[in-house]
């Protein structure tokens, strides 16, 4: 049986997916350069699963080192979590985002081609839909008009994958468009660990609740939503990780194809909904202040994930309360 290469496997979504793959009896190889993750995550994956795996500390854009991974392991499929992922940061550092996300992915795909490995699952994002014309968003909605460089990198890679499949339809490609991943593993051993000031809402909320940060900045309260704050589809990271296992099972069954799925709950919550839900779930106060809108943000975005349910047999099962409690449990462990 071949192995599954998990790039960025020590990162937030990569580590949770590694757990689900190991629990499903898969053999994995992880690569990570720890640019946005920590080495102890790997030990925690082993603790949670009681299983071992091979690890290489490399950058996925380093062709020579990546080839060594393919030389030394029989890789049959690749899940790519090595992209940079912060919307705000991408506006400030577009060159870094284009270089890491697109150039890195091209090196990865070219190396896969060289070694005859043609099963690929790509972490895309709801940002490819741009400012949605209609919600909920289905996979048939038009893509493009992205509002930040992060979204542009996802859009370009989706196009690259479509062109790659057109040129050689022996590839099996699954594009998963994530909505907003939050939460942590229920063990509290792995979770979202942003370096420096968090870019995403939930890690910010938990750091305010724990006293590490003074208050939450809510970017804009004049959007056309029920309370004026931005509405998003928040999905528990463990549900998201399970979606990758289901996608891999589909690629193992199908004879070649390119498949696209939304992974979300289908429910939109505003920033203030999230703050209130967190306060209720954890009995912790989250002081906040309303500030200017953030560049590149849109008012409302949530998914129609019925295609993933139909074709993958996947559905998001965890509640908003689970998301809040699991996020808090993770940060509490960090503080001990």
């Amino acid at each position: 049986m071949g192995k599954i290469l998990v790039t960025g496997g020590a990162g937030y979504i990569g580590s949770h997916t590694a757990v689900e793959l190991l629990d499903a009896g898969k053999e994995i190889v992880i690569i990570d350069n720890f640019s946005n993750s920590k080495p102890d995550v790997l030990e925690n994956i082993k603790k949670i699963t009681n299983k071992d795996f091979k690890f290489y500390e490399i950058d996925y854009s380093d062709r020579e080192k990546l080839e060594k991974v393919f030389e030394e392991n029989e890789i049959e499929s690749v899940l790519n979590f090595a992209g940079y992922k912060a919307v705000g940061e991408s506006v400030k550092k577009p060159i870094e985002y284009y270089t890491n996300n697109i150039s890195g992915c091209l090196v990865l795909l070219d190396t896969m081609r060289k070694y005859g490995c043609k099963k690929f699952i790509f972490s895309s994002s709801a940002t490819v839909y741009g400012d949605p014309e209609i919600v909920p968003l289905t996979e048939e909605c038009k893509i493009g008009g992205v509002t930040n460089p992060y979204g542009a990198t996802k859009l370009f890679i989706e196009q690259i994958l479509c062109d790659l499949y057109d040129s050689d339809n022996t590839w099996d490609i699954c594009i998963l468009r994530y909505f907003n991943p939050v939460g942590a593993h229920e063990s509290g051993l792995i979770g979202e660990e942003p370096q420096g000031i968090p870019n995403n809402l939930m890690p910010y909320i938990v750091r305010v609740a724990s006293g590490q940060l003074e208050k939450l900045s809510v970017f804009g309260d004049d959007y056309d939503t029920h309370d004026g704050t931005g509405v998003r589809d928040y999905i528990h990271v463990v549900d998201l990780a399970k979606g990758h296992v289901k996608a891999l099972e589909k690629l193992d069954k199908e004879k070649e194809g390119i498949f696209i799925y939304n992974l979300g709950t289908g429910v939109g919550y505003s920033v203030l909904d999230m703050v209130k839900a967190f306060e209720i779930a954890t009995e912790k106060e989250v002081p906040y202040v309303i500030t200017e809108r953030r560049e590149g943000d849109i008012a409302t975005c949530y998914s129609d994930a019925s295609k993933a349910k139909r074709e993958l047999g996947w559905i998001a099962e965890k509640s908003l309360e689970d998301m809040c409690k699991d996020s808090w449990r993770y940060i509490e462990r960090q503080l001990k």
Side-chain angles (χ1 to χ4, degrees):
M1 188 171 96
K3 293 181 178 163
I4 298 159
L5 178 63
V6 183
T7 68
Y12 178 43
I13 298 165
S15 61
H16 286 82
T17 304
V19 165
E20 296 303 323
L21 289 166
L22 289 165
D23 281 347
K26 311 284 186 193
E27 272 197 76
I28 67 171
V29 176
I30 291 179
I31 65 173
D32 206 303
N33 65 356
F34 301 125
S35 66
N36 195 26
S37 58
K38 292 178 177 163
D40 61 357
V41 169
L42 301 170
E43 290 313 308
N44 287 333
I45 293 171
K46 290 174 189 173
K47 264 188 212 163
I48 291 167
T49 60
N50 288 319
K51 290 185 179 152
D52 205 355
F53 49 85
K54 255 192 185 172
F55 171 71
Y56 296 80
E57 186 176 345
I58 64 166
D59 190 308
Y60 83 139
S61 61
D62 186 328
R63 190 181 295 265
E64 206 175 302
K65 289 182 177 164
L66 188 62
E67 287 195 358
K68 186 170 177 273
V69 176
F70 277 82
E71 292 281 351
E72 292 178 2
N73 303 276
E74 197 189 319
I75 305 291
E76 68 171 16
S77 47
V78 177
L79 281 74
N80 181 21
F81 300 103
Y84 294 160
K85 64 176 177 54
V87 168
E89 184 183 59
S90 78
V91 176
K92 295 186 180 72
K93 296 182 172 178
I95 291 174
E96 287 81 352
Y97 268 67
Y98 287 118
T99 303
N100 179 71
N101 292 13
I102 298 176
S103 303
C105 191
L106 286 168
V107 169
L108 178 60
L109 291 167
D110 196 26
T111 307
M112 288 176 67
R113 179 173 63 172
K114 179 176 174 177
Y115 288 90
C117 170
K118 292 184 174 178
K119 268 185 199 164
F120 188 66
I121 295 181
F122 176 57
S123 303
S124 190
S125 159
T127 52
V128 299
Y129 295 113
D131 198 345
E133 293 174 301
I134 54 155
V135 286
L137 286 154
T138 70
E139 292 83 354
E140 282 67 51
C141 288
K142 81 172 178 55
I143 58 173
V146 289
T147 54
N148 54 70
Y150 161 75
T153 67
K154 298 298 187 186
L155 186 67
F156 293 161
I157 296 167
E158 284 201 14
Q159 185 62 54
I160 289 163
L161 292 172
C162 291
D163 294 342
L164 178 60
Y165 181 72
D166 286 343
S167 73
D168 173 4
N169 56 23
T170 62
W171 281 80
D172 291 312
I173 296 168
C174 192
I175 293 168
L176 299 176
R177 292 178 181 155
Y178 304 169
F179 280 71
N180 292 62
V182 295
H185 193 267
E186 60 187 16
S187 63
L189 287 169
I190 55 173
E192 191 163 11
E193 191 55 55
Q195 311 286 17
I197 299 287
N199 290 290
N200 297 333
L201 178 63
M202 190 59 97
Y204 215 112
I205 287 177
V206 290
R207 278 158 184 75
V208 171
S210 68
Q212 288 169 285
L213 294 170
E214 187 192 350
K215 56 182 180 285
L216 171 72
S217 295
V218 176
F219 300 110
D221 64 348
D222 56 352
Y223 286 104
D224 184 13
T225 60
H226 66 274
D227 62 14
T229 64
V231 167
R232 297 290 180 273
D233 184 339
Y234 295 93
I235 173 171
H236 197 294
V237 66
V238 172
D239 280 333
L240 187 66
K242 287 177 174 166
H244 293 76
V245 180
K246 292 284 194 187
L248 197 57
E249 285 168 4
K250 182 174 178 77
L251 293 188
D252 286 342
K253 281 202 293 269
E254 297 286 336
K255 294 281 173 270
E256 293 95 33
I258 183 159
F259 307 97
I260 300 174
Y261 299 103
N262 286 336
L263 294 185
T265 61
V267 181
Y269 293 105
S270 76
V271 175
L272 293 182
D273 289 338
M274 294 298 282
V275 170
K276 285 174 196 138
F278 184 87
E279 289 182 331
I280 291 164
T282 62
E283 298 179 349
K284 295 283 167 192
E285 198 187 344
V286 182
Y288 65 86
V289 58
I290 306 291
T291 63
E292 292 296 298
R293 287 186 181 194
R294 187 169 56 177
E295 207 178 345
D297 272 350
I298 55 176
T300 303
C301 181
Y302 59 96
S303 70
D304 176 338
S306 57
K307 186 182 173 192
K309 183 181 179 183
R310 248 187 348 265
E311 295 186 16
L312 300 179
W314 173 88
I315 186 166
E317 292 171 334
K318 291 185 177 279
S319 67
L320 184 55
E321 187 183 8
D322 294 329
M323 299 176 208
C324 295
K325 283 189 165 164
D326 291 343
S327 298
W328 180 245
R329 186 181 300 115
Y330 175 70
I331 201 88
E332 274 194 313
R333 272 190 78 102
Q334 304 308 101
L335 295 172
K336 278 176 187 163

